[in-house]
Amino acid sequence: MNNPNEDLYELLGIDTGELGCMMAKFSTPTRLLNEIPENLLYHDPADPGEYGKVFDSHVSLLYGLLKPAHETREAVDLVLRGLVFPEIIQFGAADWFTSRDQPYDVLYIPPVPEYQFVDAHRRLSRLPHVNTHPEYRPHLTLAYVKKCSARTAALLVNGNK
């Protein structure tokens, strides 16, 4: 299923594949990735390296910026002024979400507490952007797994947290 606004974006000359993103980068905990068996991972036959386990991950703060964040650095700095993240970020138990129009489920861990990420998202939403993901759920992606295997993968990961 395509995004219902795709025709609107096309009419406005907006290529949603070219939108910018602000993220907080993290290294994915290898010990958690080691708990996900290879047979549960999703690999796109057309681009095998694009999916599977995510070793260099991030928490998206806002996707859909009309200009890349580095091109609007002053505005980004202005809206994020005063926002402080703790030096060490904790993450909760593995969970997952699925999308009807994707051939995989996304296995992730949420930041705990999430309020700094939600605040950053709210602040960055003041910048010109296209809201292609109306529900913001901060998360660090661990892996793309085959449909209907995310529950099993989450149980394996959570057994070793």
Side-chain angles (χ1 to χ4, degrees):
M1 181 172 112
N2 289 333
N3 184 328
N5 290 319
E6 207 58 46
D7 290 339
L8 174 62
Y9 300 146
E10 185 177 337
L11 178 69
L12 296 172
I14 297 170
D15 180 353
T16 57
E18 298 295 320
L19 295 172
C21 183
M22 270 298 292
M23 356 177 190
K25 293 198 172 236
F26 295 91
S27 292
T28 309
T30 307
R31 64 185 173 75
L32 298 181
L33 294 179
N34 289 339
E35 299 305 323
I36 307 167
E38 186 65 32
N39 67 324
L40 297 183
L41 297 174
Y42 170 79
H43 294 288
D44 183 348
D47 194 2
E50 183 67 21
Y51 297 95
K53 294 178 183 178
V54 178
F55 292 94
D56 186 24
S57 199
H58 65 272
V59 175
S60 294
L61 300 175
L62 180 70
Y63 178 78
L65 292 168
L66 294 180
K67 290 185 178 181
H70 70 273
E71 290 181 16
T72 57
R73 178 65 189 246
E74 287 182 48
V76 169
D77 289 346
L78 179 65
V79 298
L80 293 180
R81 184 180 296 151
L83 179 67
V84 178
F85 282 90
E87 198 169 302
I88 297 175
I89 303 290
Q90 300 292 320
F91 288 91
D95 203 350
W96 71 92
F97 58 84
T98 189
S99 176
R100 288 182 301 198
D101 60 342
Q102 298 297 335
Y104 52 78
D105 291 335
V106 176
L107 183 69
Y108 70 90
I109 50 177
V112 179
E114 65 179 28
Y115 67 87
Q116 290 101 338
F117 295 93
V118 172
D119 188 27
H121 175 80
R122 181 187 55 77
R123 291 170 179 228
L124 289 165
S125 293
R126 294 170 50 203
L127 300 173
H129 72 287
V130 173
N131 191 359
T132 59
H133 297 84
E135 179 187 345
Y136 179 64
R137 193 178 339 175
H139 65 278
L140 185 137
T141 300
L142 293 175
Y144 297 90
V145 296
K146 295 174 184 172
K147 285 276 192 197
C148 303
S149 66
R151 183 177 190 279
T152 301
L155 288 171
L156 292 168
V157 167
N158 290 334
N160 287 299
K161 259 196 102 165

